[in-house]
Amino acid sequence: MGDVTVVGAGVFGLATAWACARRGAKVRVIDRTGIAAGCSGGVVGMLSPHAPERWNETKEFQFQSLIAAESMWREVEDTSGLLTGYDRVGRLQPIDTERALELARERAVNADEHWQGKALWRVIAAKDAEDWCPKSETGLVIHETLSARVHPRKACLALAEAIRRKGGVVEVGDAQTLEGKVIWATGVAGLRELSAHFGKTVGNGVKGQAAVLGLDARGVPITSAGDVLVVPHADGTVAVGSTSEREFSSEDQTDTQLDDLIARACDVFPMLASAPIVERWAGVRPRAKSRAPMLGVHPLNGDQYIANGGFKIGFGMAPKVGEVMADLVLEGIDTIPERFRPEASL
């Protein structure tokens, strides 16, 4: 099967290395700053689909990835002996206008067509969502059962340990000696390198911010209300995220945008107002020009490969990304959607 070297220990790099290791490849993962040291070390971990309308190969790819997530993360847990925080808890979304209600009902029909009976999208009364339900102006909410959550940091640590237990190596250092088939999964740094080489924006970093609150709501659905994401985790905390800033002065420090986000989350779920803030997080997420993952042959090194551009959907896409990259690198089988190819951002 040969050797595989993955540069980058974020979720795309680790998921690709795991898929290769499962197939018997000798895998080495190397990252100059450590496992999930970038945006994959975040705190939100919301795995949700785009709306099930105007169906295309991108949405089909995402759907298949979300369906595959449970078996992947369970196998990672079994192999590593570590928890990932994964659970397919579903999602609630408030319906605040009559137009939003009309769209929600149209999308329920689309989900019935495209989700193959593996998940549901339904409009229900907010009172039927039990005690954990976002405020809704119409008294109705969307309840879909495809969404899940995972704890990003724990999931990456579990992936790294699972790779080791398959005989692979995961280490911190500079990628000076690269052996076998090489996959670059270097996030923002990799996108900046491509932009500098081509003299135009191929991708960039978008700052995101989130917070962890000390409220035990484990097992209930995640919620998206506008741009407010609320994710109850299995460790008895609730993550609130996340903002997006294309122009920012610091990659590390959170600012008033996060205070505003927390306030809006408390408006959606008033019980959050009394919960202590356990952690404030900020990080820079890799956004390719196409806004889709960048997968395939590396634009600068034709005998190497790239897996980048996870942006806000990296963990949701990771199960399928790992498999299609392993197909390409190990078997020479290319099933990558056209929009996901590097050329779409060049």
Side-chain angles (χ1 to χ4, degrees):
M1 186 67 71
D3 297 339
V4 174
T5 299
V6 179
V7 185
V11 69
F12 272 12
L14 291 168
T16 299
W18 165 246
C20 291
R22 286 181 69 250
R23 301 187 191 194
K26 183 180 178 182
V27 173
R28 175 190 179 217
V29 181
I30 184 166
D31 192 295
R32 62 183 180 83
T33 51
I35 299 167
C39 64
S40 291
V43 298
V44 179
M46 186 177 198
L47 317 181
S48 289
H50 294 300
E53 61 192 4
R54 296 189 294 275
W55 202 253
N56 55 36
E57 63 175 352
T58 299
K59 292 192 176 185
E60 177 66 23
F61 186 103
Q62 184 192 48
F63 171 74
Q64 294 297 338
S65 189
L66 291 171
I67 290 297
E70 182 161 14
S71 61
M72 171 187 153
W73 292 116
R74 296 299 177 231
E75 185 178 358
V76 168
E77 289 182 337
D78 290 344
T79 304
S80 67
L82 300 175
L83 295 177
T84 65
Y86 176 87
D87 195 7
R88 188 171 152 185
V89 293
R91 175 174 55 159
L92 297 171
Q93 297 174 264
I95 301 173
D96 291 327
T97 66
E98 288 301 316
R99 176 55 181 159
L101 176 58
E102 180 183 350
L103 284 173
R105 287 174 170 158
E106 290 175 2
R107 289 166 177 169
V109 175
N110 293 330
D112 285 344
E113 177 182 356
H114 298 296
W115 288 3
Q116 305 167 22
K118 297 178 181 179
L120 299 174
W121 174 296
R122 293 290 180 264
V123 174
I124 64 172
K127 62 182 178 61
D128 294 335
E130 301 182 348
D131 295 333
W132 181 265
C133 187
K135 291 196 306 184
S136 170
E137 295 298 324
T138 64
L140 300 171
V141 295
I142 298 164
H143 179 222
E144 54 92 350
T145 63
L146 182 55
S147 290
R149 50 100 167 122
V150 70
H151 193 292
R153 296 173 191 167
K154 293 179 181 179
C156 286
L157 290 171
L159 270 171
E161 182 60 23
I163 291 164
R164 292 187 184 106
R165 295 195 181 190
K166 287 287 188 182
V169 174
V170 182
E171 60 186 339
V172 178
D174 292 324
Q176 296 179 346
T177 303
L178 303 176
E179 299 178 349
K181 298 179 179 180
V182 179
I183 304 164
W184 293 87
T186 48
V188 174
L191 294 179
R192 288 173 176 164
E193 179 186 14
L194 290 174
S195 295
H197 176 84
F198 287 103
K200 61 181 181 180
T201 300
V202 176
N204 53 25
V206 177
K207 182 181 178 183
Q209 299 175 104
V212 179
L213 307 181
L215 177 69
D216 191 344
R218 68 189 79 192
V220 302
I222 59 183
T223 293
S224 57
D227 62 350
V228 176
L229 311 179
V230 180
V231 182
H233 280 290
D235 61 1
T237 63
V238 175
V240 175
S242 60
T243 64
S244 289
E245 291 180 73
R246 294 194 188 184
E247 303 293 334
F248 50 89
S249 59
S250 170
E251 296 185 0
D252 302 314
Q253 299 300 314
T254 55
D255 57 26
T256 55
Q257 281 203 25
L258 183 55
D259 294 329
D260 294 340
L261 177 69
I262 294 170
R264 284 184 284 127
C266 291
D267 184 58
V268 175
F269 284 104
M271 71 279 284
L272 293 174
S274 59
I277 298 176
V278 176
E279 180 182 354
R280 297 166 69 94
W281 174 87
V284 182
R285 300 169 296 198
R287 178 186 181 275
K289 182 180 177 181
S290 67
R291 296 180 61 90
M294 183 182 287
L295 311 174
V297 175
H298 199 286
L300 303 184
N301 305 296
D303 59 344
Q304 298 180 1
Y305 304 89
I306 187 170
N308 205 328
F311 193 35
K312 295 182 179 181
I313 56 174
F315 278 86
M317 290 289 209
K320 186 72 171 173
V321 166
E323 292 302 318
V324 298
M325 289 301 297
D327 285 343
L328 179 62
V329 173
L330 300 180
E331 313 290 345
I333 299 171
D334 188 348
T335 58
I336 297 169
E338 289 298 322
R339 187 164 177 259
F340 290 10
R341 299 179 186 277
E343 294 78 14
S345 293
L346 297 179

